Amino acid sequence: MATALVLTSVAANPEMEHCETIIQKVPMSPESYIKHPLQNKWALWFFKNDKSKTWQANLRLISKFDTVEDFWALYNHVQLSSNLMSGCDYSLFKDGIEPMWEDGQNRRGGRWLITLSKQQRRADLDRFWLETLLCLVGEAFGDHSEDVCGAVINVRAKGDKIAIWTTDYENQDAITHIGRVYKERLGVPPKVIIGYQSHADTATKSSSSTKNKFVA
Ligand code: MGP
């Protein structure tokens, strides 16, 4: 059993001036020293736009975690998204999946995309991203959480974006469930429509808008 050393000062003899310190070994409950495991191990990535490098070379792994405590330690350690320079991204992906279209788990996938107005950077960006992270690490989509690969936040002067990436754009049940729950968790009003687009369409788009495969 785990024990803690507890120092207690006691008057060895009330008549005498000095105190004596005794060391006691007391049992500790596992709750107080075992970190709370998450269902998955996650990796946080950072992207900084350096035009002299390729897109992939600008992507850096920050750290991995698989407990609630280590999630908060990392979250509290990194800059809020609203403080990042335009052109930067954070990505949180399941361990083993790289935050790029090319990864085998993303190749046939797509994303639920939240596009924010410039005004929303102040009002919504940081809380939307934190809620997105909590949806991921808390496995908010029930069995359909298995379809989730990760999430990305793009800080951009033209308007920030947040997205949840899923593994297969043909898994309609999983995608529609994830979209419905995600929209609710962010508190997006019902009249505001969010779209799901395949990475294949995003990667080959010729105009600035990619067609939606699903909406919520
Ligand atoms: P972006 O960073 O996702 O969005 O993609 P941004 O900056 O808002 O630009 P927009 O085109 O959506 O308006 C910017 C560019 O980064 C893409 O056009 C690609 O060249 C590159 N890029 C982005 N992603 C997510 C990938 C990826 O997964 N793989 C590769 N190879 N390039 C990517």
Side-chain angles (χ1 to χ4, degrees):
M1 173 173 305
T3 54
L5 297 179
V6 177
L7 300 179
T8 321
S9 289
V10 291
N13 178 344
E15 253 97 81
M16 295 175 74
E17 293 276 278
H18 72 277
C19 288
E20 191 176 288
T21 300
I22 59 167
I23 300 175
Q24 279 180 302
K25 274 188 169 179
V26 296
M28 284 168 68
S29 78
E31 259 302 288
S32 60
Y33 62 87
I34 296 180
K35 292 183 193 174
H36 297 79
L38 296 170
Q39 196 153 318
N40 278 291
K41 187 173 200 173
W42 298 88
L44 183 69
W45 301 74
F46 181 65
F47 177 94
K48 188 163 184 281
N49 193 6
D50 175 346
K51 295 218 169 70
S52 70
K53 294 188 190 155
T54 64
W55 184 87
Q56 294 199 1
N58 283 329
L59 193 58
R60 285 289 154 86
L61 175 67
I62 301 178
S63 180
K64 297 181 182 185
F65 58 87
D66 60 5
T67 67
V68 173
E69 287 79 0
D70 291 343
F71 162 72
W72 285 114
L74 182 57
Y75 177 79
N76 289 323
H77 184 72
V78 299
Q79 279 292 338
L80 286 173
S81 306
S82 58
N83 289 336
L84 297 179
M85 286 196 316
S86 280
C88 292
D89 306 336
Y90 283 130
S91 302
L92 186 78
F93 274 70
K94 285 177 180 164
D95 186 27
I97 308 179
E98 291 191 305
M100 55 183 73
W101 306 319
E102 292 85 350
D103 188 285
Q105 294 295 311
N106 295 322
R107 205 172 295 146
R108 287 169 303 279
R111 61 175 178 173
W112 277 111
L113 180 62
I114 310 289
T115 55
L116 290 91
S117 66
K118 289 183 184 174
Q119 295 73 27
Q120 282 181 290
R121 180 171 299 174
R122 234 189 95 250
D124 297 325
L125 186 71
D126 293 328
R127 62 185 191 88
F128 275 14
W129 179 237
L130 177 56
E131 196 59 29
T132 304
L133 297 176
L134 294 176
C135 283
L136 264 54
V137 301
E139 311 284 339
F141 312 110
D143 288 347
H144 295 307
S145 285
E146 273 191 21
D147 266 55
V148 171
C149 295
V152 181
I153 182 166
N154 305 122
V155 180
R156 299 289 183 273
K158 66 189 177 192
D160 305 319
K161 292 178 280 187
I162 298 179
I164 289 186
W165 288 29
T166 74
T167 196
D168 191 336
Y169 67 78
E170 291 186 340
N171 289 352
Q172 180 165 358
D173 288 354
I175 293 168
T176 50
H177 178 81
I178 291 167
R180 198 166 51 238
V181 172
Y182 185 38
K183 190 173 162 180
E184 235 172 68
R185 286 279 300 253
L186 293 183
V188 174
K191 65 173 190 297
V192 176
I193 301 301
I194 62 170
Y196 181 96
Q197 299 133 21
S198 74
H199 298 316
D201 286 348
T202 304
T204 57
K205 72 185 172 187
S206 47
S207 72
S208 62
S209 65
T210 307
K211 74 174 192 299
N212 291 327
K213 291 215 177 286
F214 303 98
V215 291

